[in-house]
Amino acid sequence: QVHLMESGGGSVQPGGSLRLSCEASGSIITPVIMAYYRDAPDTQRQRGLVARMASGGSRDYADYVKGRFTISRDNARNTMLLQMNSLKPEDTAVYFCYSVIMENGEPREYWGPGTQVTVSS
């Protein structure tokens, strides 16, 4: 059984920083993909990619976080960090850890329970 355990998040003023972390636990090999998505307060919007990092090291960022957020991984510990700097009120959302893990030769997707990030003065 694979579990994605999230930590971090909380409330911060505009311009502040937060760090999210996610650990994939269970009898797994190194996740192929680890990423963060977020659900904005407007529930009509689809869950959107924030940042993604492959096991080989390639990274993708949503345009609206480039230059402010940094994703990193520790493959030995199956953990991922998302450093969020220069936070804006529009970054307020529930952030979800996401992972793709190979099981019996097939990719399986997993989601964490989500953590709230609130940016407000």
Side-chain angles (χ1 to χ4, degrees):
Q1 187 74 17
V2 175
H3 294 283
L4 298 183
M5 296 180 293
E6 301 169 349
S7 61
S11 296
V12 67
Q13 293 186 341
S17 298
L18 287 172
R19 186 172 69 177
L20 305 181
S21 65
C22 176
E23 179 182 357
S25 65
S27 300
I28 61 173
I29 60 175
T30 300
V32 176
I33 296 288
M34 295 192 79
Y36 272 103
Y37 285 74
R38 70 187 190 189
D39 283 349
D42 180 357
T43 58
Q44 296 301 313
R45 293 170 58 184
Q46 293 182 332
R47 182 170 294 179
L49 175 69
V50 176
R52 172 174 56 209
M53 187 169 179
S55 56
S58 63
R59 295 174 172 90
D60 296 301
Y61 294 95
D63 287 342
Y64 48 79
V65 304
K66 286 180 180 178
R68 300 188 298 124
F69 292 11
T70 302
I71 190 169
S72 60
R73 289 179 57 168
D74 182 342
N75 287 336
R77 293 179 172 83
N78 291 328
T79 59
M80 169 179 62
L81 296 177
L82 183 67
Q83 179 66 41
M84 304 185 293
N85 298 329
S86 302
L87 282 162
K88 304 175 181 180
E90 51 263 43
D91 292 318
T92 295
V94 179
Y95 286 70
F96 295 88
C97 177
Y98 166 86
S99 185
V100 176
I101 298 171
M102 299 301 292
E103 296 182 6
N104 298 318
E106 296 293 327
R108 292 283 304 274
E109 296 180 313
Y110 294 92
W111 291 92
T115 186
Q116 177 70 45
V117 171
T118 301
V119 185
S120 174
S121 56

